[in-house]
Amino acid sequence: MLIKIAHSHPIRPSEITPESVYHGRRRFLLQIGAAAASVTLGGCEPPESGAVANTALASLKVTKKTELAGGENVTAYEDITHYNNFYEFGTTKEAPARNAGRLRTRPWSVVVDGECEAPGHVDLDELINPQVLEERIYRHRCVERWSMVAPWLGVPLAPVLRRFKPTSNAKYVAFYTLFDPRQMPETGRGVLNWPYREGLRIDEAMHPLAFLSVGLYGRVLPNQNGAPLRLTVPWKYGFKSIKSIVQITFTQWQPETSWNQLGPQEYGFYSNVNPAVDHPRWSQARERRLGELVMRKTLMFNGYPEVASLYSAMDLSTFF
Ligand code: MTE
């Protein structure tokens, strides 16, 4: 995402790699006994034959898998992990994969505070427990018109939030990324108002599709995709899916968000995927799936009509 430079084509042909078929390429060991030992982030498994996942990243075991992308092909791991937006590590699509290695993802602490009765911390180890961890295959659509289908591993956001007992004043939830210029040298350039911040209305955050991801393609989340935990909000433009979260705050008022602060006319608070509401500098009617050459039609709410009731009383061209 760039505020000043318009892209006629978000993806250069040279960056497109062949589509890979995901199904049948992974193995998941679901035996609970083995899972307990292998779920720790420090562990490593030998490479799987034909696998493309980064074998330096530990496998994560899941108990539940849900396909939520209408059976569409899953995007190649190589594409999902080498065409990124993570401005703390650079503003090109290749920079995060190159630079995010310097991010230390353990120890990691996520503070939860604000309008809640039981402020505290998110326990990462609890999230990567194979008893609760699930795989969800979601569509993911960037405001810049590229999209993918990714198999995230994680947990629904709502039960995590409920643990902290939000009060009736909690109308919104604000999320903040780590801000550490020693690990994130690009933050010195002041491209965005750091730390990167995002927010959801509380009913959006509590929607069953809202997800906290800790893994990808059967393994721990690569740093460039937002390790150790990120939001995945599949019906919204990708910039709502904030990476490397260190703080979650329940608020009474709509929180400020990084991209909206930078360009309020271009990046709204809601940012629901909507082919009928154009970005001021480009149409949102079509998108390019990573690994494909021909653009495809963008789907309302990115193909998740079950969220429409959240916005039934709203004019989505005003609240874009
Ligand atoms: N989170 C942080 N902290 N910093 C960022 O620059 N970029 C956002 C979002 N989360 C971003 C972020 C944008 S613009 C997109 S499209 C998605 O991350 C990209 O996620 P991906 O790289 O895993 O595809």
Side-chain angles (χ1 to χ4, degrees):
M1 281 167 64
L2 286 175
I3 191 75
K4 296 272 188 271
I5 304 163
H7 303 276
S8 53
H9 288 287
I11 305 164
R12 291 196 303 272
S14 61
E15 292 169 329
I16 296 169
T17 55
E19 185 174 306
S20 305
V21 180
Y22 172 56
H23 300 287
R25 174 161 76 181
R26 313 158 301 155
R27 274 181 302 124
F28 282 104
L29 302 175
L30 289 173
Q31 296 92 331
I32 295 305
S38 54
V39 76
T40 49
L41 287 168
C44 241
E45 269 200 349
E48 296 167 15
S49 127
V52 291
N54 181 346
T55 52
L57 296 170
S59 300
L60 294 175
K61 311 296 181 253
V62 300
T63 49
K64 189 177 162 189
K65 301 180 190 180
T66 319
E67 204 288 324
L68 289 159
E72 293 179 41
N73 284 340
V74 173
T75 304
Y77 182 83
E78 209 36 39
D79 288 340
I80 299 176
T81 56
H82 287 81
Y83 196 88
N84 301 103
N85 275 340
F86 199 167
Y87 273 32
E88 289 87 332
F89 296 101
T91 53
T92 66
K93 302 294 178 252
E94 305 78 23
R98 205 172 46 236
N99 301 332
R102 62 170 75 200
L103 177 67
R104 288 189 310 276
T105 57
R106 285 295 172 122
W108 192 271
S109 173
V110 185
V111 173
V112 183
D113 59 10
E115 300 284 356
C116 60
E117 287 171 21
H121 293 83
V122 175
D123 183 344
L124 268 182
D125 291 317
E126 210 176 296
L127 297 191
I128 59 170
N129 175 351
Q131 307 288 348
V132 298
L133 206 58
E134 48 178 289
E135 178 182 80
R136 290 205 183 166
I137 299 180
Y138 276 139
R139 291 183 204 91
H140 175 69
R141 165 64 153 85
C142 185
V143 71
E144 292 165 291
R145 293 183 297 177
W146 49 273
S147 67
M148 61 173 81
V149 172
W152 303 108
L153 307 186
V155 296
L157 177 61
V160 175
L161 295 182
R162 277 197 207 101
R163 226 174 283 163
F164 302 94
K165 300 192 167 72
T167 66
S168 57
N169 281 338
K171 310 284 190 229
Y172 295 88
V173 191
F175 300 85
Y176 301 89
T177 293
L178 175 72
F179 173 60
D180 182 353
R182 284 167 307 172
Q183 297 183 64
M184 300 166 151
E186 292 287 325
T187 54
R189 288 176 55 203
V191 186
L192 287 170
N193 185 17
W194 313 110
Y196 191 100
R197 62 200 70 185
E198 257 308 332
L200 296 172
R201 218 171 53 194
I202 190 88
D203 57 344
E204 298 180 310
M206 293 296 183
H207 192 280
L209 285 179
F211 202 61
L212 270 179
S213 297
V214 296
L216 177 68
Y217 254 99
R219 292 182 182 272
V220 166
L221 205 55
N223 287 2
Q224 61 267 35
N225 290 94
L229 90 166
R230 67 169 294 164
L231 210 55
T232 302
V233 197
W235 70 95
K236 291 181 178 285
Y237 290 121
F239 66 89
K240 299 295 291 182
S241 292
I242 182 172
K243 298 177 170 180
S244 306
I245 298 167
V246 291
Q247 188 180 347
I248 301 176
T249 305
F250 295 100
T251 64
Q252 186 167 6
W253 310 108
Q254 182 176 303
E256 293 192 318
T257 61
S258 290
W259 281 101
N260 182 254
Q261 283 182 305
L262 188 66
Q265 304 310 319
E266 307 207 353
Y267 308 107
F269 176 80
Y270 286 94
S271 285
N272 295 312
V273 174
N274 189 340
V277 176
D278 289 343
H279 183 279
R281 289 186 279 122
W282 58 80
S283 161
Q284 292 291 24
R286 300 181 79 78
E287 67 195 48
R288 193 185 304 283
R289 183 66 49 87
L290 294 188
E292 293 180 3
L293 287 171
V294 178
M295 290 184 91
R296 53 167 70 211
K297 281 188 178 163
T298 290
L299 303 172
M300 184 64 201
F301 298 121
N302 207 20
Y304 299 100
E306 58 268 55
V307 300
S309 58
L310 293 172
Y311 312 105
S312 50
M314 292 168 63
D315 175 350
L316 294 180
S317 56
T318 305
F319 295 97
F320 60 89

